[in-house]
Structures are given as structure tokens and as C-alpha cells.
Amino acid sequence: MIIRFSLPYFTEPGQRIAVCGSEPSLGQWNLDHALFLHYAARTGLWTQEISIPTDHPHPIEYKYVLLDERDGSKQWEWGHNRVVADSGGLFTRLMLEDYWRAPAEPDNELHTAAFTKALFRRGSHVAPAQARAIASATEIGSAGAIRFQLVAPRVAPHHQVCILGSDEALGAWDASRAVVLDDQDYPTWTAQVALEQPSQNTQYKYAIRDSQTGQIIHLETGDDRVILPPTPANTLRVRADEGFRYPAGNWRGAGVALPVFSLRTKQGLGVGEFSDLKMLADWSAEAGLKLMQILPINDTTATHTWVDSYPYAAISVFALHPLYLHLDGIAELAKPADRKELARLREELNARDFVDYEPVMEAKWKFIKLLYQQEKAAFLADPAFKAFWVEQNEWLVPYAAFSALRDRFGTADFQQWPEEFRTPQNLDQLTAPDQPNFDEFGLHFFTQFHLDKQLREAVEYARERGVVLKGDLPIGIYRHSVDAWTQPELYHMDRQAGAPPDDFSVTGQNWRFPTYNWERMAEDNYQWWRNRLSHLARYFDVLRIDHILGFFRIWEIPGHSVEGLLGHFAPALPMHRHEIEQRLGWFDYGRLCEPYIRWHMLQHIFHAQAQAVFDEFMEDAGYGAIRLKDYVRTQRQMEALFDQRIAADPNNAEHLRWLRTGLYKLVNEVLFVPADEPDFYHPRITVYLSTSFKELDDHNRHLINEIYNDFFFRRHEDFWRRQGLVKLPPVRYATDMLICGEDLGMVPASVPGVMRELGMLGLNIQRMPSDPKVEFGNPAHAPYLSVVSPGSHDMSTLRGWWEEDRDITQRFFEDLLGHRGEFAPQYCEPWIAREINVQHLHSPAMWAIFPLQDLLAMNADLRRENPHDEQINVPSNPQHFWKYRLHLNLEDLASQASFTQTLHNLTDESGRSQVY
């Protein structure tokens, strides 16, 4: 059989098109041996033919590649591999009439799971009667045929794609005789037709049709498509047409954000549970909201205290948190006394206006253990569990072993365990059911099986209602975790990840997570990341990657620091001392790299206690300089010392913390931070805010400012761009999830371009504009491939923010809301919240996602009385207790028909409830 490739593409001199694929004649995916196409200037077509046996045993896959001899670049077309159409043995020649699938096209993201598996999901497949009839007609003739192929994911579940055209076989433009395309390979629609007049030009268009009424909903816009003759006998022409031309603009949707732990229902146990997502999905669908965004849901149980409430410090990147298990969804407790106790605790814990983490977890574990013993025999024999165990074994066994050993030895820090357990060994044998202590491990198998089952049920329930679940992938791993225990070589355990100073924290954030050993991860093409993403795709159709900037460079903090100011970006291009000396004219390690401490600074920080602080912690270094004593040279030494003193004298804790914070400030008083390599240095972040910098003369301040700006805003741009282009594609293409990146903060200029190239949505928060020249972001200026939101879990809510700074509120009221010359109300009244939310709904961004608190702010009767009780996280406080809980039961929210209808009307008016 002859296969002819044909691609219209107007190239520039020096550019060529090749086709690369699974066949030897196509290079077997080796681009050096790909098939080069020939260009015909008259038609603008690149073409070439190959011959294969008629009984070829395997499908042939291929892709087009644009090669540029001018710079040596190789650009593959976007999307999955193409597959040569099956001719059914009826034809001796295939003509593949393709089009170039360009990367970074907005509609490309409609091919992700968010749309194909949920928002536009198709029902069970039934081939259209017309398609079956046409297929059988082509089997008896030797004439040529046309197979139409159109990739169109944006079609409502109850609608179909059809084709109308000038030929009788295409209905002669009679809509009642339109040919309905088959969606068996959705989002690709196909129909095979033998034209009545194959020797004439055939005009045609695609349309969208209501499958129930047969009425045409939309006829695509633009000029007619044309089939040029001839179609030779025994030839199948496969027209892979470019996408459906919709009459309106881009698809846009709206969503709601709330952590699972913040959900409140009557059947909960003082905390939100996976089963509650069903009720939220019902309400979301009624309100015209198509997405539910949650925070990370992995198990964080490290200390069995409220500290574990921090959702970004998971002890496993795979295991789910027992906090979210719905006990009644497993089985009913057999003993009446246990049922009575559960009912009592449910009433007690549900009455609290926050998530009381420790009592909730104590109650959960108490009843999980009872249910495990009660259901153990049936559970271990359950075929569904056996299948789960086999499928998830790679992470499940180490997790169960780690969790049991954590409880056995009283700590998650595996370096404190007995020697024989500090590295994982013989875990299958350790956790085997025939071992006498199996229940230690079996309990965790049981819990994870039911968590997985309940979450997947909730996800499927939401999908059936046209609502997708958006998960959250933390950028780091916890250093006392299964992942660090089993694969320590993938991380730099002696370093700490965090974030440089921003609006959330002037001293930066230290997450205390180890940083990634990217060089080691690259050796197996980032298998750990690909496994992680594949597992998350089990639950989510959309994924937020926390701090996506970490794939370009992470803020790496030395182990001796507590705060983030003495960190540096990694990887980076540090400066050699000779470069600093050349640009500055001098290099004095003591002045540039040692803490700059003078007596007036002590007086300013410690006031009347300056002398006492000096006497205890410092010594004279000569010439007016002061240095810290050896036992408090680092912040980590200071932290340990003051932790001991606070434990010994808790009544004086506030004063001791004040002293410690003042000493931390002194450690940060440097201009350059030593790099890992000897004699290399990084400028200290926000160095211009330091006293050390301010007390330089004008000339040296100017020179260091030049060094600083060059280092952070020019020196690394191409370097960091290349880092992102190497690390992100394996993550981006590991699954078909729609990927959104949290790209706030100090963003390298290359980041938006790389994300756009990879089809990853950025984030636009109005109070944290990406443009440093404006105070507030305008949702109307957001690009399509982005998410707009009035806030995030790291911020105060709209109502809380409104009360924080009167001057800022006034400028926002006039500049962004357009109330020129008016005084902003003291509080964020419902009509103000409505104006802000509507502004976001009308943004051109693909998604507008709202914290539920900000939606409720539009209704005076439904919103919480005190807005300051609604903030989920305070990033500047590393000891923050994540305990926010919705003040309304979801059952009560669902009963607010008027409010729900108002939301639906707003989404309708903004065009975010429409498919087309």
C-alpha cells in the first residue's frame, strides 16, 4: 500500500519539513533518519510517499517536524502521535491530508482531561446510523472515498458534529441530510464518504447538531472548506481538518476554591471529608461553577499534633490524609456503644467553628482502628483491595512501613530510629500479612484503600455533573517523609527550600524542605516526577503546581539559617571575588560577608537592653565593629538556644522570642552570601534594605545597586529559561491534566514565555500584579491561558484586605472599580464584593476561580460576621495553625436558592456558563 503524506506549510528559506514515526522508512522515531518531504511552491504543500505491505501488522504512528537549518532548531508539532488510518483492506493507496498542529494555541488546552473527561465528556459510544450505512456502502466499490477527521473537544455531551456540503453524499447543503460524524475516538470525530461527484470541487462545512432534535446549533464560520479533485480509484483520502471554527470567542469557565478540611457538613466529624466534595459539586453545578479547587490532600502525619495541619509538608507524595476519611462510608460500627460514642463526638466536634485538629485526628484514628479490626477479614479478601495493592504497591508498602515505624518509635525523623530501620530494607517481608505484627501495617493499607475509593467516587460524581476537581502539587517534600527515607539521593538533605522576600514575608519564607537534586533526577528522565503526576491524575483533571518558579530556580537556604534572607537561587551563576572586586573596586570579606553590627544598631533594636544583649551574645571586634560570639554565630544556633530557654521559662516566652528576632536581624546584615564553591558569592536578596548597605557611601551604594540589578534581573534570564525548558516538559506531558502554575513573586522574565510554550496556565491575583509598574492587576488584561482570582489561601479575603490599609483601599476603589472622586466605604459591602467578582468573571482568562469566602461576601446574610476569621494561611507565621472552617453547612448553603441563582446569573452574563 502507498501512503502519501501531505502538509500545507509556508516555510522560510532554510526551513524543511520532515515526518518521523514508528516505521523504518520514517526513521523509527530517530529524527536523523526521518522522511524529508518535498515542497511545491505552486500549491504550498510538502509531500512524500512511502510503501508498506498491505497486511502491515501494527498501527503506524507519526508526527511532523519543522527543521531550521539556520539555527539547527527542531520543532515537533503539538499533540499526540498521529496514527495512520485503517483502510480496512479496501484501498491500495492512502492520501493523508494533514495540517500543522501549532504549539501554544489556546484551544490546545481543550484536549486535556478537564474537558475530555469531565466538562465535555461523552456518554457511551453508539456509532451514528449514517456512518454505519456509509461504511458498508464503501465496502462494495472500488471507487475512492473521503474520510473526514476533525478534532473538536468543545462539543456539549448531548451535541454531535456533522458535515454539510455541496455533494449529494454530504446532503447537498440540506441540514436535514447532514452527515453525522462518529465520536468513537473523541475528541476526534470521523465520517467516511464516497462522493457522488468526485470529479468536481466539493464545498463543505462542519456544524454542531443537537442529537435529540436533529437541529443545527452552530454552523462553523468562515469560508467553505474545499475538496479538490481527483480522488483516484482504490484511494482513501484522509482529510485531517483544522479545528471547528466557533462563532464566538474562547471557552471560559468559573470555579470555587476551598480546602477539603474547611468543608462543613452535618455528617462530618469536625472537618471536611472526601465525600463532602459531592455536595460541593452539586452546589457548584447549580451555581454555574465548573471547577472545585482544593489544597494538597496528602498525609502530613508526622507529629500527631496540630503542627501536622500544614498541608504542604506531606510525609508521602502519594498517600492520602486519614483526616479526610468518611467513617460511615466504610461500614457501620458493629457495637451500639461505639456508634453512640461516634454520634456524641460528631455533635461535639461539628459544633466548633474551626478544625480542632488534634481531637479530630484522635477520633478518626480511634474509629479507623475499630473498623479495621471489625472489617479486617473481609477487607483482606476483597478483590478490589487486592487489585489496589498490586497497582499501588510501589508507594503503598513503603508508606505503610514508614507510618507504622513512625508510631512504633515515636518520631517521623527516621535518623532517630534504630540502625536497622534508618534505611528501608525488605519492606515486603516486613509488612507481609503472615507477620505477627502485621496489623501495624495493615491498618494503613486499610485506610489508604478506603481513602482512595472515597475520593475517586467523589471525583466521578463531580465529573458526571460537569464539574472538575483541581488539585494542588506542593513544590517541596518534607524532610522526614517516606520519599526522603526511600530515595534520599534525589534530594539535597543538607539544604532548605523557601521563597525570597515578598508581600507575604519581608524576611522570606523557609519551608525547611530539602531541595531537589535535579542532576540525579535527570538521569532517568525525571521518573519520580512522572510517577507523582501520574498518581495525581488518578484524582484530578486540573492541577495547580505550587511555586512553579522552582522548576526554573528555587530559593535555597543554607542549613544554618532560620529565615530566608541568607538564601540564594539555585541553580545560579554566582560571582567570583575577582568579578566583585573588579566591579566594586575593592573586596573586603569582613565588610561584605560578615554581619555588620554597630552599637547604634543594638540600641535601635534592643533599646534599654542593648548593653545586656551585647554582654551576653557579642564581643568587640575593634574599630567600632561588633561580632557575635561563636555559640550564636548562626540563626540555627540561636533558635536552639532560645527554644531551650522558652521551654524552661514559658512565662517569659514572648520576651525571649523578641530577643531572638532581634539577633536574627543582626545575622542578616551582610551584603554578599558565600556560594557553595569557594570564592564565589551571591548578592544578598533585598540588600538595599539592610543597615549595612545604607551606611555605605553614595558611590559604593550605587555600584552595589548595579551589581544587584544585573545579578537578579539580567544575568540569569537565559540560564533560567533553559532550566525550565529542560525540567518542565517531562512533568507537563506525564499526564493529560490541565496544568496551572502558581507563578507569583519574583518572577524571571522568561517564565511566562516558557509556560505559554508548554500550554501551562499562569495565575493572576489582583493584589499581586505581575507588572511591577502597577499597584493592582486588572483582570481585563489577563491573557487567555491564565487563571484570575481575587485572592488565594495565602492572603486575607476581600473583606479582610479591605480593612487593612485605608489608603490602598481608596486607590483601589477609584482606580480599579472606577469610583472616581468617591470615598470608599469603611467595610467591603456586599455590592463592592460583587463588583470585584464580576470584574473577574468578565476577564478574558480561561478560568476565574473564587475563594468561597469571597463569593459569600456578596450576601450580607450568608457571609461570616468577622472577615478576619476567614483567612486560611498567614505565610509570615511559620507556626500557623491551618484550621479555617466554613461557617455554613453545605446543606444550608444548598438551600439558599436565591443566592445560588444569583451566582448562576452572573456566570451566565459573563459567558462562563456556555460551551460555545
Side-chain angles (χ1 to χ4, degrees):
M1 182 169 63
I2 302 297
I3 300 177
R4 182 175 184 267
F5 298 93
S6 174
L7 184 79
Y9 196 103
F10 289 100
T11 52
E12 298 178 6
Q15 292 181 324
R16 300 179 68 186
I17 298 289
V19 60
C20 193
S22 56
E23 281 299 290
S25 55
L26 302 179
Q28 291 184 312
W29 295 114
N30 183 341
L31 195 51
D32 293 335
H33 302 288
L35 177 71
F36 282 92
L37 307 187
H38 300 301
Y39 182 65
R42 183 179 62 84
T43 62
L45 290 176
W46 289 85
T47 61
Q48 183 58 286
E49 294 182 351
I50 63 171
S51 177
I52 64 167
T54 305
D55 57 349
H56 191 276
H58 305 295
I60 300 173
E61 298 184 5
Y62 68 101
K63 256 186 172 181
Y64 293 101
V65 190
L66 175 64
L67 305 170
D68 198 323
E69 296 172 353
R70 299 170 299 181
D71 58 10
S73 63
K74 305 175 179 70
Q75 183 184 11
W76 292 78
E77 65 172 343
W78 174 85
H80 297 296
N81 296 338
R82 299 176 185 265
V83 180
V84 172
D86 181 9
S87 67
L90 300 173
F91 304 96
T92 59
R93 186 178 179 88
L94 276 178
M95 297 174 62
L96 305 178
E97 301 176 359
D98 294 321
Y99 70 93
W100 174 260
R101 300 182 311 206
E105 288 296 315
D107 280 356
N108 290 350
E109 304 321 303
L110 300 183
H111 293 255
T112 57
F115 301 97
T116 60
K117 293 181 180 177
L119 300 177
F120 306 143
R121 65 185 288 164
R122 314 297 298 170
S124 56
H125 171 75
V126 178
Q130 291 165 294
R132 290 195 296 269
I134 292 167
S136 61
T138 61
E139 291 175 3
I140 59 176
S142 60
I146 307 288
R147 178 177 296 175
F148 295 94
Q149 284 185 187
L150 181 74
V151 177
R154 187 178 163 189
V155 180
H158 58 289
H159 290 168
Q160 299 167 311
V161 175
C162 61
I163 187 169
L164 301 89
S166 58
D167 193 274
E168 281 293 326
L170 300 179
W173 296 113
D174 181 350
S176 66
R177 295 193 291 137
V179 176
V180 178
L181 277 66
D182 192 338
D183 66 352
Q184 181 174 358
D185 297 319
Y186 173 81
T188 299
W189 299 77
T190 60
Q192 193 160 301
V193 175
L195 297 176
E196 296 286 342
Q197 302 291 331
S199 62
Q200 299 181 8
N201 287 356
T202 301
Q203 288 81 36
Y204 68 99
K205 274 187 174 180
Y206 292 101
I208 293 175
R209 168 184 183 271
D210 189 308
S211 60
Q212 297 172 341
T213 66
Q215 297 298 308
I216 299 296
I217 306 298
H218 292 298
L219 181 67
E220 66 175 346
T221 59
D223 295 335
D224 292 344
R225 302 177 191 255
V226 180
I227 302 171
L228 298 175
T231 302
N234 299 312
T235 297
L236 176 64
R237 295 175 66 179
V238 182
R239 292 187 62 83
D241 276 320
E242 203 159 1
F244 189 92
R245 301 190 295 251
Y246 292 93
N250 295 319
W251 182 93
R252 298 178 304 131
V256 62
L258 194 70
V260 176
F261 61 76
S262 299
L263 297 171
R264 180 192 286 269
T265 62
K266 294 177 181 178
Q267 69 264 30
L269 189 61
V271 68
E273 299 169 343
F274 287 148
S275 56
D276 299 335
L277 289 168
K278 297 179 181 180
M279 200 175 298
L280 183 63
D282 283 336
W283 177 79
S284 297
E286 289 294 322
L289 305 173
K290 300 177 182 298
L291 179 149
M292 304 181 298
Q293 177 174 314
I294 61 176
L295 291 184
I297 51 175
N298 295 105
D299 189 1
T300 61
T301 310
T303 67
H304 290 293
T305 69
W306 66 265
V307 175
D308 298 340
S309 69
Y310 179 38
Y312 288 89
I315 64 165
S316 166
V317 298
F318 299 101
L320 300 170
H321 203 308
L323 181 71
Y324 303 122
L325 189 63
H326 182 53
L327 299 172
D328 295 344
I330 300 174
E332 184 179 47
L333 291 161
K335 296 181 179 178
D338 293 332
R339 295 198 296 271
K340 184 178 180 180
E341 174 70 2
L342 176 58
R344 183 190 68 79
L345 283 170
R346 177 173 283 129
E347 182 177 357
E348 176 185 320
L349 295 172
N350 278 346
R352 298 179 188 176
D353 62 358
F354 68 100
V355 179
D356 201 351
Y357 188 89
E358 291 180 34
V360 166
M361 284 307 300
E362 287 174 9
K364 292 269 182 176
W365 277 119
K366 175 179 180 177
F367 294 108
I368 289 172
K369 290 173 181 176
L370 289 174
L371 286 166
Y372 169 68
Q373 291 299 334
Q374 174 183 308
E375 303 294 319
K376 177 180 173 182
F379 159 69
L380 292 176
D382 187 347
F385 165 67
K386 292 179 179 179
F388 174 76
W389 191 90
V390 170
E391 185 181 41
Q392 307 297 322
N393 181 274
E394 187 173 351
W395 68 264
L396 182 62
V397 169
Y399 164 77
F402 180 91
S403 299
L405 295 174
R406 170 203 62 204
D407 294 345
R408 183 188 297 182
F409 302 125
T411 179
D413 183 356
F414 48 87
Q415 295 299 332
Q416 297 184 37
W417 294 352
E419 182 67 34
E420 64 268 29
F421 295 109
R422 290 180 189 171
T423 57
Q425 301 176 50
N426 304 318
L427 296 186
D428 286 326
Q429 179 181 345
L430 178 70
T431 62
D434 59 359
Q435 295 297 311
N437 56 358
F438 169 73
D439 285 350
E440 286 185 82
F441 313 102
L443 175 68
H444 300 289
F445 292 146
F446 176 79
T447 304
Q448 288 301 312
F449 169 71
H450 283 289
L451 283 164
D452 176 82
K453 180 181 178 181
Q454 291 182 6
L455 178 54
R456 286 190 296 115
E457 286 176 354
V459 167
E460 185 57 27
Y461 183 94
R463 285 173 176 164
E464 289 172 355
R465 281 147 186 78
V467 179
V468 296
L469 187 62
K470 179 181 180 183
D472 192 344
L473 181 148
I475 187 61
I477 69 149
Y478 188 52
R479 65 178 56 250
H480 305 314
S481 66
V482 184
D483 309 283
W485 183 50
T486 56
Q487 294 180 284
E489 70 278 3
L490 298 181
Y491 323 103
H492 296 301
M493 300 299 294
D494 59 336
R495 306 172 198 176
Q496 307 173 98
D502 56 21
D503 292 346
F504 298 138
S505 176
V506 295
T507 59
Q509 299 176 48
N510 185 350
W511 305 324
R512 302 201 179 191
F513 304 145
T515 57
Y516 292 116
N517 183 348
W518 289 108
E519 292 78 10
R520 174 63 183 81
M521 289 180 161
E523 292 176 7
D524 59 3
N525 193 27
Y526 307 96
Q527 185 64 50
W528 181 84
W529 280 102
R530 289 185 286 123
N531 290 346
R532 188 177 181 187
L533 268 290
S534 296
H535 187 74
L536 289 169
R538 185 176 177 87
Y539 311 118
F540 304 119
D541 297 318
V542 189
L543 188 68
R544 170 191 182 270
I545 298 182
D546 170 53
H547 195 68
I548 199 170
L549 307 181
F551 286 89
F552 297 81
R553 80 289 186 277
I554 196 74
W555 189 246
E556 189 171 81
I557 303 165
H560 58 70
S561 285
V562 173
E563 297 176 322
L565 283 175
L566 298 187
H568 60 83
F569 286 120
L573 304 171
M575 305 173 69
H576 192 273
R577 64 169 294 167
H578 292 159
E579 182 183 359
I580 298 173
E581 189 170 14
Q582 181 182 27
R583 299 184 64 171
L584 197 56
W586 57 279
F587 185 90
D588 181 339
Y589 184 89
R591 179 65 181 89
L592 296 176
C593 305
E594 291 284 351
Y596 178 82
I597 307 174
R598 299 296 184 268
W599 176 248
H600 67 277
M601 296 167 64
L602 300 187
Q603 291 178 307
H604 177 73
I605 295 172
F606 300 107
H607 311 298
Q609 296 187 48
Q611 187 63 52
V613 171
F614 172 84
D615 292 341
E616 183 172 3
F617 301 112
M618 301 170 205
E619 57 191 15
D620 188 351
Y623 302 100
I626 298 171
R627 65 169 163 254
L628 294 160
K629 292 180 179 178
D630 287 344
Y631 75 99
V632 285
R633 292 281 288 169
T634 71
Q635 290 183 344
R636 194 66 74 198
Q637 289 174 313
M638 295 171 180
E639 180 186 55
L641 174 68
F642 279 89
D643 280 349
Q644 292 175 359
R645 294 188 178 184
I646 291 170
D649 185 11
N651 293 330
N652 199 30
E654 183 176 352
H655 175 68
L656 292 170
R657 291 192 186 99
W658 173 76
L659 284 176
R660 182 172 64 186
T661 300
L663 292 171
Y664 283 172
K665 291 179 182 178
L666 296 177
V667 175
N668 290 329
E669 283 290 341
V670 298
L671 301 176
F672 287 86
V673 176
D676 296 331
E677 310 95 318
D679 255 3
F680 281 87
Y681 304 88
H682 306 263
R684 201 213 81 176
I685 194 75
T686 59
V687 68
Y688 46 83
L689 298 178
S690 69
T691 302
S692 179
F693 174 83
K694 293 174 182 176
E695 297 194 356
L696 291 168
D697 58 43
D698 290 346
H699 176 69
N700 281 304
R701 284 203 302 272
H702 172 74
L703 292 176
I704 286 183
N705 256 331
E706 285 292 311
I707 292 172
Y708 183 93
N709 290 330
D710 177 64
F711 187 87
F712 285 109
F713 302 108
R714 292 187 289 271
R715 183 186 186 97
H716 293 90
E717 279 308 321
D718 185 61
F719 177 71
W720 285 334
R721 177 180 178 276
R722 285 185 274 115
Q723 296 296 320
L725 284 174
V726 168
K727 298 168 190 170
L728 274 174
V731 175
R732 169 66 180 89
Y733 299 118
T735 71
D736 61 353
M737 288 186 288
L738 177 64
I739 303 294
C740 310
E742 186 265 300
D743 53 349
L744 304 177
M746 193 174 178
V747 183
S750 60
V751 169
V754 171
M755 292 179 63
R756 188 166 54 250
E757 185 175 335
L758 297 176
M760 305 171 82
L761 278 60
L763 178 60
N764 290 273
I765 301 288
Q766 193 162 35
R767 287 176 262 163
M768 283 192 71
S770 56
D771 183 353
K773 297 187 291 294
V774 300
E775 185 175 16
F776 311 108
N778 189 335
H781 300 156
Y784 175 62
L785 291 184
S786 69
V787 175
V788 293
S789 180
S792 77
H793 65 272
D794 283 327
M795 298 176 168
S796 50
T797 59
L798 279 178
R799 294 170 61 214
W801 171 73
W802 195 267
E803 299 175 17
E804 289 172 1
D805 190 310
R806 179 70 184 168
D807 292 337
I808 291 177
T809 298
Q810 183 65 41
R811 291 195 296 274
F812 180 88
F813 187 67
E814 294 194 54
D815 297 344
L816 264 293
L817 297 185
H819 297 281
R820 293 286 183 182
E822 301 178 37
F823 286 105
Q826 185 69 33
Y827 303 104
C828 183
E829 306 294 349
W831 63 270
I832 294 175
R834 179 180 175 125
E835 282 193 13
I836 296 172
N837 289 335
V838 167
Q839 190 180 62
H840 285 75
L841 281 170
H842 285 268
S843 166
M846 175 182 276
W847 287 102
I849 301 177
F850 303 89
L852 183 54
Q853 306 96 300
D854 290 345
L855 293 177
L856 294 173
M858 297 189 297
N859 187 295
D861 297 326
L862 294 181
R863 62 191 198 169
R864 198 170 192 147
E865 181 176 352
N866 184 356
H868 303 291
D869 292 337
E870 294 184 318
Q871 187 164 345
I872 296 170
N873 179 38
V874 181
S876 60
N877 178 12
Q879 300 299 314
H880 177 72
F881 182 4
W882 296 63
K883 60 182 180 179
Y884 169 69
R885 194 171 185 212
L886 190 65
H887 62 292
L888 297 172
N889 286 322
L890 289 180
E891 293 92 339
D892 296 331
L893 179 61
S895 70
Q896 299 295 322
S898 176
F899 174 68
T900 304
Q901 186 59 51
T902 296
L903 278 180
H904 204 148
N905 292 342
L906 293 178
T907 58
D908 270 343
E909 291 163 7
S910 68
R912 290 188 179 271
S913 290
Q914 309 302 318
V915 174
Y916 309 115

